[in-house]
Amino acid sequence: MSKNVRTYVLLGLVLIIWGLIGYKVVKALSPEEEPMPELKPVVFSPKPTTKKDTFSLMANYRDPFLGTLPKTERKPIKKQVAKQLVQKRNIVYSGSVSQSNSGNSMFFVTIDGQQHIMSQKEEVDGVKLLSGNGENIKVRYYGTTETISRAQ
């Protein structure tokens, strides 16, 4: 082989090798996005809980160190507890907002200085809104029901 032919063959091999290297570099720098696999929804089904069998030990034998029998436990005598006075909550009814096409009404109620937007049968801070209209609302807290008029 002549010198020129050998040079052209080697030049062709070098170009092919550098072309492959360049192709791999370009492909690595701009990867094609692979399609995301479809996710199937996971259904959560908790295991049924079973009531655990409990037991207690009766240690009614002689104390090995002191030589005495255990004292029998006496049932405590329940004392009559006077009913606690229900603390009156500071509740102020400011007004209501309702949608024209539905019967849902939202009421602006201030409970102990914090304003809340409540709907019927909703409970906030232990205060449950039973019913209401534009003029007054009926609330229940600590087992007592109270009607509150709108503040002017």
Side-chain angles (χ1 to χ4, degrees):
M1 261 209 255
S2 71
K3 190 175 184 181
N4 286 341
V5 173
R6 200 179 312 147
T7 304
Y8 290 127
V9 170
L10 289 175
L11 180 65
L13 285 173
V14 167
L15 287 175
I16 291 172
I17 292 172
W18 277 107
L20 290 174
I21 292 173
Y23 174 74
K24 288 188 177 189
V25 168
V26 169
K27 188 174 180 180
L29 291 178
S30 60
E32 296 176 8
E33 294 186 21
E34 298 177 6
M36 295 292 292
E38 291 184 28
L39 298 177
K40 297 179 181 176
V42 178
V43 178
F44 177 70
S45 58
K47 295 179 181 177
T49 58
T50 57
K51 187 174 182 180
K52 292 184 179 180
D53 187 22
T54 60
F55 64 92
S56 62
L57 297 176
M58 298 295 294
N60 55 358
Y61 51 85
R62 185 181 63 82
D63 186 359
F65 300 106
L66 299 176
T68 59
L69 290 174
K71 296 179 182 178
T72 58
E73 293 182 21
R74 295 183 185 173
K75 294 183 179 178
I77 300 172
K78 294 183 178 179
K79 296 180 181 178
Q80 292 290 337
V81 178
K83 285 189 173 180
Q84 296 177 351
L85 294 175
V86 177
Q87 295 177 351
K88 183 157 174 65
R89 307 274 309 255
N90 184 15
I91 301 173
V92 177
Y93 172 46
S94 301
S96 66
V97 175
S98 63
Q99 293 179 346
S100 61
N101 57 358
S102 71
N104 290 345
S105 295
M106 303 300 286
F107 300 94
F108 297 102
V109 181
T110 304
I111 302 172
D112 294 331
Q114 290 187 341
Q115 189 172 23
H116 302 280
I117 299 175
M118 298 174 68
S119 60
Q120 288 185 0
K121 296 185 177 52
E122 183 178 358
E123 186 170 344
V124 175
D125 293 339
V127 177
K128 184 174 184 178
L129 179 64
L130 300 175
S131 63
N133 56 29
E135 296 302 317
N136 53 28
I137 59 171
K138 191 178 282 190
V139 295
R140 176 178 289 151
Y141 60 93
Y142 299 133
T144 61
T145 304
E146 185 177 340
T147 302
I148 300 170
S149 298
R150 187 174 70 184
Q152 296 297 333

